[in-house]
Amino acid sequence: MTDLRNNAPRRYFVDAGGRRVLIGLTLEETFEFERLDSKPVADLSEGQVLRDGKVPWPAAGEQRWQELYAKHDGAWKAWLVQNRVELRS
């Protein structure tokens, strides 16, 4: 979803301490999510390659990333709905 200038809605807010936090996550969870999101997909020295040539993420890191993303995405969708209701009022 974008606005008239093709800008996507921001998924972060600034907390009371002035820190950027993903909607629906704590500061610590935001840090963990960003750390997991920026990790290399896998250690290429291990030689893990799928049939299509892609390298899989380590299972534990991917699972945690998906948990945090699901928590954030649900809160972000609720935030969008709430803002739509407020804009219509």
Side-chain angles (χ1 to χ4, degrees):
M1 177 178 183
T2 58
D3 66 12
L4 294 175
R5 295 183 195 125
N6 285 332
N7 293 321
R10 294 185 310 181
R11 288 183 171 238
Y12 289 87
F13 70 94
V14 177
D15 71 4
R19 297 167 297 219
R20 215 174 52 111
V21 180
L22 281 163
I23 292 171
L25 300 183
T26 65
L27 177 63
E28 292 78 14
E29 289 170 330
T30 297
F31 177 76
E32 181 181 7
F33 176 84
E34 290 176 338
R35 182 182 54 80
L36 289 169
D37 196 47
S38 67
K39 270 188 164 182
V41 178
D43 182 3
L44 295 176
S45 65
E46 293 177 16
Q48 299 174 341
V49 178
L50 301 175
R51 285 187 210 171
D52 61 1
K54 295 181 181 175
V55 180
W57 281 16
E62 181 178 10
Q63 182 176 353
R64 181 62 178 152
W65 182 92
Q66 289 177 352
E67 291 169 2
L68 291 169
Y69 182 81
K71 182 178 179 183
H72 158 66
D73 196 49
W76 183 68
K77 288 175 182 175
W79 180 86
L80 284 175
V81 169
Q82 179 63 36
N83 282 326
R84 284 187 199 140
V85 169
E86 289 174 5
L87 288 174
R88 291 181 189 161
S89 304

